[in-house]
Amino acid sequence: MDQRLAGLPVRALRLLRATREAIQQQRADEADQLLARAQTWAGGHPEYLRLLGVTRHLQGRPQEAVDVLRRGLEIAPGDALLLMNLGTALRATGDLRAATVALRRACELAPEHAPAWYNLGRALAQDARSGEALDAYERALQLDPAHGGALIGYGDAQRTLGRIDQAAAAYREALKQPNTTRAWVRLANMRTIRFSAEESAWLERLYAAKTLPEADRISIGFAYAKSLEDQRRPIDALSVLNTVNASKRRQLHWDAPAHSAITESILRAFSSPPATAAPKEMGREVIFIVSLPRSGSTLTEQILASHPQVEGANELSDLEIVIEAESRRTGRPFPAWVAQATPEDWRRLGQDYLDRTQRWRRDRPIFTDKALSNWRLIGAAMAMLPGARVVNCRRDPVETCFSCYRQLFAQGHAYTYDVDELASFWRDYDRAMRFWHARYPHRIRDQVLEELVQDPEAQTRGLLDFCGLPFDAACLRFHETPRNVRTVSAAQVRQPLQASGGHAARYGDLLSPLRAALGTR
């Protein structure tokens, strides 16, 4: 007898067992229907509530999952599986601290349960606690050496900590297990790692397999294109990229004209800088780093984080969260409420941001916020935090957009899978940054990647001077700085700067459609 189903009538047992199977196969709608049928006989049972919570999570309704799972824990407070499921649902809501508490408790109650340690690792990693995450993944792998997810998570933690060879080894070990296609993408995204001839041949066979699910074909395709680049076969690589980007784009919603309209509405709302009650030095602790992906932002943050006064916080969501909270409070979307915001409102929002980010100033007085999409929010950020600085990382637009096109992102960035939409997004960004520069000329610095590569010392000195920091030679040895780097550029910033012609030059006229869309030659 399954002890988790103890006390239930036979008809409920059958329905909940079928629900478990549906959940295992990711068939959330089927699980929902089975649970509806079982509710009469099992609605107050903790296992019913657990399965309902997991189903809500699978349906993309994590807050509902949290509420249901907490009801289950009121009935069975020491249930490790309920706690584990609660922790994963809390992680999906963004409440990482509560998620970690629940998952640690699950691990205490069931120390031999590898999935609990794996999920704890995921929560810790998302909360930028990579060392602790590594320990959790190691414990999961001690219990289950073939746990593919834990192997990938272990590799991610090693990559974040700068241990590139160990990360690559973990990904390659994960590929020996079923359902670990995403490990190929992890390897491909570490641009410093070359695929072996054997791996390239394996990728070619996988990509050609007729039975490969579409999601896996997309992942394999991006990795396969990287292997073709390694073999200097740009025509074949671009052909694969075009195919998999088109497939990925069909899975996503993106409205380029709507994004351009929103960008324009933001610029209109800040046509004149709003009055603020925030003191002019408020926010001097903050360096915002903005850009499009693949434009040198991780490198810039690594240089700054090599300074003894600067903490590199990676990509933070706090500014956007503060803005969204104000939109909920006013009942109007951003930027519709900007005209009605009082000087005291801006000061209050700035203080909220500083309170939220206090953890990044525990050891060092200044921190970087590298949420790239903050380029849309610079007007608000300057009203909230007049003392903050903004570093805008620029790169040749063709190189920027093509690097995005070569990248399968874990989430977001839906505009990167179509050449015309990429170009439209770049134009929105470029227009906005020129607008902000005109209004805040002394608070924004363009950090051009090509210029940084050409003259590292002069550019680094200029960057530090802009940020009000004394020169420190450690910033020139940024690749030696041990810290967490959570972006796909983690491997690249562990190496010294190297002059490169970029990837676009290797493709020549093959990229004419992109150049035409951007209006460049």
Side-chain angles (χ1 to χ4, degrees), residues 245-370:
N245 272 288
S247 296
K248 183 66 176 178
R249 178 64 185 87
R250 287 193 291 270
Q251 297 179 354
L252 302 170
H253 172 74
W254 179 256
D255 188 332
H259 183 268
S260 296
I262 291 171
T263 302
E264 189 59 38
S265 71
I266 292 172
L267 302 188
R268 285 198 305 270
F270 289 93
S271 56
S272 296
T276 179
K280 65 178 182 178
E281 291 301 310
M282 184 172 174
R284 64 187 181 279
E285 312 94 325
V286 189
I287 302 171
F288 291 107
I289 299 176
V290 301
S291 74
L292 261 64
R294 315 301 299 156
S295 299
S297 60
T298 301
L299 170 61
T300 298
E301 183 177 54
Q302 182 76 357
I303 291 170
L304 287 169
S306 299
H307 196 283
Q309 296 183 32
V310 181
E311 184 72 50
N314 286 282
E315 298 179 4
L316 303 180
S317 57
D318 297 277
L319 182 60
E320 189 166 353
I321 288 172
V322 169
I323 296 297
E324 289 178 353
E326 186 68 3
S327 294
R328 289 193 299 272
R329 188 189 74 83
T330 61
R332 307 182 71 185
F334 180 81
W337 52 263
V338 167
Q340 283 71 49
T342 67
E344 181 56 32
D345 286 333
W346 292 115
R347 189 209 64 76
R348 171 177 54 81
L349 295 174
Q351 190 60 53
D352 187 11
Y353 174 87
L354 292 176
D355 291 344
R356 289 183 58 88
T357 55
Q358 178 62 42
R359 63 181 289 203
W360 301 110
R361 301 189 297 281
R362 290 173 186 163
D363 300 320
R364 299 182 181 189
I366 298 171
F367 72 100
T368 56
D369 179 341
K370 197 180 76 70

Side-chain angles (χ1 to χ4, degrees), residues 55-297:
T55 299
R56 291 290 177 265
H57 192 173
L58 284 175
Q59 291 173 321
R61 299 151 67 179
Q63 188 56 57
E64 293 180 44
V66 168
D67 296 340
V68 170
L69 292 163
R70 282 179 169 154
R71 283 165 49 201
L73 283 164
E74 290 174 2
I75 302 168
D79 191 305
L81 203 52
L82 269 166
L83 280 162
M84 186 188 76
N85 295 142
L86 174 63
T88 59
L90 284 165
R91 186 176 71 84
T93 69
D95 191 347
L96 299 178
R97 295 307 172 90
T100 301
V101 170
L103 289 162
R104 283 198 188 282
R105 181 58 179 154
C107 291
E108 291 171 2
L109 291 167
E112 304 305 312
H113 189 53
W117 290 102
Y118 163 64
N119 282 295
L120 174 61
R122 295 184 72 192
L124 290 166
Q126 191 172 335
D127 199 30
R129 297 155 72 179
S130 298
E132 295 174 72
L134 190 66
D135 292 340
Y137 288 132
E138 285 180 339
R139 184 63 181 273
L141 290 169
Q142 288 169 5
L143 296 167
D144 182 3
H147 194 301
L151 283 164
I152 292 174
Y154 180 82
D156 289 345
Q158 294 282 24
R159 183 195 64 194
T160 296
L161 293 168
R163 302 164 187 168
I164 305 308
D165 291 341
Q166 294 94 321
Y171 295 145
R172 286 176 164 131
E173 186 64 27
L175 289 170
K176 299 175 184 177
Q177 310 304 326
N179 303 317
T180 54
T181 302
R182 61 191 186 280
W184 284 114
V185 179
R186 300 297 209 283
L187 281 169
N189 285 347
M190 292 199 301
R191 299 292 174 177
T192 59
I193 300 293
R194 291 179 64 89
F195 286 117
S196 68
E198 182 181 2
E199 288 170 335
S200 297
W202 185 249
L203 282 165
E204 185 174 11
R205 288 193 297 271
L206 280 175
Y207 184 69
K210 302 295 185 183
T211 58
L212 196 66
E214 186 66 7
D216 287 348
R217 186 179 304 281
I218 291 169
S219 296
I220 292 295
F222 277 94
Y224 180 39
K226 164 66 165 59
S227 77
L228 291 168
E229 282 190 348
D230 290 347
Q231 299 170 52
R232 300 185 182 278
R233 295 166 57 186
I235 294 176
D236 295 331
L238 187 59
S239 175
V240 172
L241 283 173
N242 288 338
T243 298
V244 295
N245 272 288
S247 296
K248 183 66 176 178
R249 178 64 185 87
R250 287 193 291 270
Q251 297 179 354
L252 302 170
H253 172 74
W254 179 256
D255 188 332
H259 183 268
S260 296
I262 291 171
T263 302
E264 189 59 38
S265 71
I266 292 172
L267 302 188
R268 285 198 305 270
F270 289 93
S271 56
S272 296
T276 179
K280 65 178 182 178
E281 291 301 310
M282 184 172 174
R284 64 187 181 279
E285 312 94 325
V286 189
I287 302 171
F288 291 107
I289 299 176
V290 301
S291 74
L292 261 64
R294 315 301 299 156
S295 299
S297 60

Side-chain angles (χ1 to χ4, degrees), residues 267 270-273 434-442 444:
L267 302 188
F270 289 93
S271 56
S272 296
R434 293 179 188 280
F435 177 91
W436 301 129
H437 263 293
R439 280 151 183 79
Y440 306 102
H442 303 299
I444 301 174

Side-chain angles (χ1 to χ4, degrees), residues 403-424:
S403 289
C404 289
Y405 194 68
R406 295 165 63 239
Q407 180 79 46
L408 177 60
F409 291 93
Q411 59 185 357
H413 306 294
Y415 59 89
T416 62
Y417 302 102
D418 178 271
V419 166
D420 290 329
E421 290 172 342
L422 250 174
S424 175

